[in-house]
Amino acid sequence: MNLLRTDLQTALQNLHVGVQESADNLRDLAEFIDDDDVAALFSSLADARDSLSDGLADAIRTAGDLPAAPNSEKEAGEHLIHRIRALFSADQTVSLISQCLEAEEHLHQVLTDCDALNPEAPYPHWREKVSAHLDESRAQLEQCLKKHGG
């Protein structure tokens, strides 16, 4: 293993960590929210993200690196902020779904940044797979938000 990461390894690492952080945040919100249907949606999205994360970890190993873990202190702070924002909102469910939609945009930006870092990377299937998942999850979250009056 090299001491310096290639652009491909860096792009895969960034995407892997972003997907894993997203899964962890969704799982945390699923445990916090009172609405069982929304909790089930968050859990389902988190499970799908875990699957993507596992595949990206394998791609990182194939690229000659070891997958990094998300920063647990950063995640704990984000979880606390999500909960505080929800507690002070008029509608906790709408607030949490909206926060998830914001997080989807952040993960989409991570994907875009990875493409900018290494636009000719030999992993177009991962870009397409993550992008398709984000499109689908965004649509599900938007539908859920409309259902809850947001």
Side-chain angles (χ1 to χ4, degrees):
M1 185 170 77
N2 247 339
L3 292 177
L4 298 177
R5 288 186 173 136
T6 65
D7 286 347
L8 171 62
Q9 291 168 334
T10 302
L12 287 170
Q13 287 285 0
N14 291 345
L15 189 55
H16 173 260
V17 169
V19 168
Q20 188 59 55
E21 286 176 347
S22 176
D24 294 344
N25 286 334
L26 283 163
R27 191 159 284 107
D28 179 68
L29 293 177
E31 294 171 5
F32 177 70
I33 197 165
D34 292 330
D35 187 303
D36 290 339
D37 292 336
V38 178
L41 173 61
F42 289 172
S43 291
S44 171
L45 293 174
D47 291 344
R49 301 271 161 94
D50 284 338
S51 178
L52 287 173
S53 177
D54 291 345
L56 285 163
D58 290 340
I60 290 167
R61 288 183 193 95
T62 300
D65 199 3
L66 295 174
N71 181 332
S72 61
E73 291 174 359
K74 176 185 169 205
E75 282 190 332
E78 288 174 351
H79 295 173
L80 181 63
I81 290 169
H82 289 300
R83 290 173 183 226
I84 290 172
R85 282 178 61 189
L87 288 172
F88 286 104
S89 70
D91 186 332
Q92 180 188 59
T93 300
V94 168
S95 175
L96 291 174
I97 297 168
S98 296
Q99 289 180 55
C100 285
L101 283 166
E102 291 172 18
E104 294 299 294
E105 289 304 317
H106 173 73
L107 187 54
H108 181 73
Q109 186 60 49
V110 169
L111 181 61
T112 301
D113 292 346
C114 289
D115 288 347
L117 179 63
N118 196 3
E120 297 180 21
Y123 65 100
H125 62 284
W126 282 113
R127 280 196 309 254
E128 293 167 11
K129 196 170 190 172
V130 172
S131 182
H133 171 75
L134 287 174
D135 291 343
E136 182 180 326
S137 63
R138 186 178 304 126
Q140 290 175 336
L141 288 167
E142 287 171 352
Q143 181 180 13
C144 188
L145 185 61
K146 285 179 187 175
K147 177 182 171 187
H148 286 86

